[in-house]
Amino acid sequence: MLKVRDVPYSLWATAVFRLAGARSALVTVDGRRPVLLTAGSIKCGRLFLRCKTIPIEVGAGPNASLVLGERVFINTGATVIANHSIILGDDCRLGDLVAIFDSDHHPLEPSRPTRIAPVRLGNNVWVGRSATILPGVTIGDHAVIATGSVVTDDVPARTLVAGVPARPIRTLDIPDGWRRE
């Protein structure tokens, strides 16, 4: 008799995403079993998860929506859990320990509600190790988020940002149609 723990993680993750409604999902897992939250809506293209040392957390909570484009790569220890709406375009690359949040999860003060706002990454976006993207941020196509940055505002297409909070460093010369391998 075949047990769940004997099924390769890629097959397991693909099956879990498909059972959650991500009909086009094809998930490749390299390493540990990821933590998948499938209480909300998930749409997923081909997805590569590298979980060598720390599991990845990815998914959607109740009444939330997560959309992952084609050929998305998420590295070890990253967290992408939608509480409202997170969209990653085609060919996005997320480094180790990246965190993408569409909610502050709790209020900062009793007089202010919890901030909840959608997050969108365009196509061919590269997010460096330990970067954090906060609620309400839109990142344009071909943008690069430097290692350790905290993104609090929108990032224009073809822009390198860095720092805490992240600020534009320079414009990138990237032709249409080019994608990171």
Side-chain angles (χ1 to χ4, degrees), residues 2-91:
L2 185 65
K3 296 182 180 178
V4 171
R5 70 174 183 262
D6 298 329
V7 177
Y9 293 147
S10 294
L11 290 174
W12 172 83
T14 298
V16 169
F17 270 31
R18 286 185 180 170
L19 286 172
R23 301 271 180 248
S24 64
L26 178 58
V27 182
T28 301
V29 178
D30 180 19
R32 297 173 180 254
R33 183 171 164 174
V35 176
L36 303 179
L37 178 61
T38 59
S41 168
I42 299 171
K43 294 181 182 168
C44 178
R46 287 174 284 175
L47 176 63
F48 186 86
L49 306 176
R50 182 186 294 155
C51 309
K52 288 293 191 177
T53 56
I54 304 169
I56 291 167
E57 297 176 307
V58 65
N63 302 313
S65 171
L66 175 65
V67 177
L68 303 170
E70 287 292 331
R71 299 170 303 277
V72 170
F73 172 84
I74 303 176
N75 216 335
T76 193
T79 299
V80 184
I81 301 286
N83 288 292
H84 174 58
S85 172
I86 296 176
I87 299 172
L88 275 63
D90 296 342
D91 303 303

Side-chain angles (χ1 to χ4, degrees), residues 82-142:
N83 288 292
H84 174 58
S85 172
I86 296 176
I87 299 172
L88 275 63
D90 296 342
D91 303 303
C92 283
R93 304 285 182 256
L94 306 184
D96 297 3
L97 306 171
V98 163
I100 300 177
F101 298 113
D102 63 357
S103 167
D104 284 342
H105 302 288
H106 53 82
L108 185 60
E109 302 170 299
S111 63
R112 295 180 186 224
T114 302
R115 182 173 58 149
I116 299 172
V119 173
R120 183 184 184 286
L121 278 64
N123 295 325
N124 201 35
V125 171
W126 179 16
V127 182
R129 180 185 175 100
S130 297
T132 301
I133 299 169
L134 296 178
V137 169
T138 296
I139 299 175
D141 294 345
H142 307 290

